[in-house]
Amino acid sequence: NPETEIRYSVAMAAEVRLDIYNALGQQIRSLVAARHAPGEFTVRWNGADDHGERLTGGVYFYTLKTGSFSQTRKMVLLP
């Protein structure tokens, strides 16, 4: 079962979004959409889309957004 943990930190209380995108830039999964207090957090992604369907192996991206901050990172899902 392909699965990964994404760790992130929040410096001050803020609305946080963490979304997964495919290589075409289509959003396929929303992992976090909530207000967070400052601190360190971990979210687990099981390789499925928002409908629970397992995705094929390949390159995916996740974007973390908090206020005016946005960061995108690449990850590889192995089947």
Side-chain angles (χ1 to χ4, degrees), residues 1-59:
N1 294 337
E3 192 171 281
T4 190
E5 288 185 349
I6 300 170
R7 293 184 180 100
Y8 60 96
S9 61
V10 177
M12 64 180 85
E15 292 292 326
V16 176
R17 284 201 59 94
L18 197 151
D19 299 310
I20 307 288
Y21 296 87
N22 63 18
L24 298 175
Q26 300 164 319
Q27 181 181 335
I28 56 166
R29 182 77 188 261
S30 179
L31 294 177
V32 176
R35 185 159 185 83
H36 282 24
E40 306 248 339
F41 301 90
T42 301
V43 64
R44 186 172 294 216
W45 181 46
N46 64 0
D49 65 13
D50 276 336
H51 305 290
E53 298 292 323
R54 290 272 179 201
L55 299 170
T56 60
V59 176

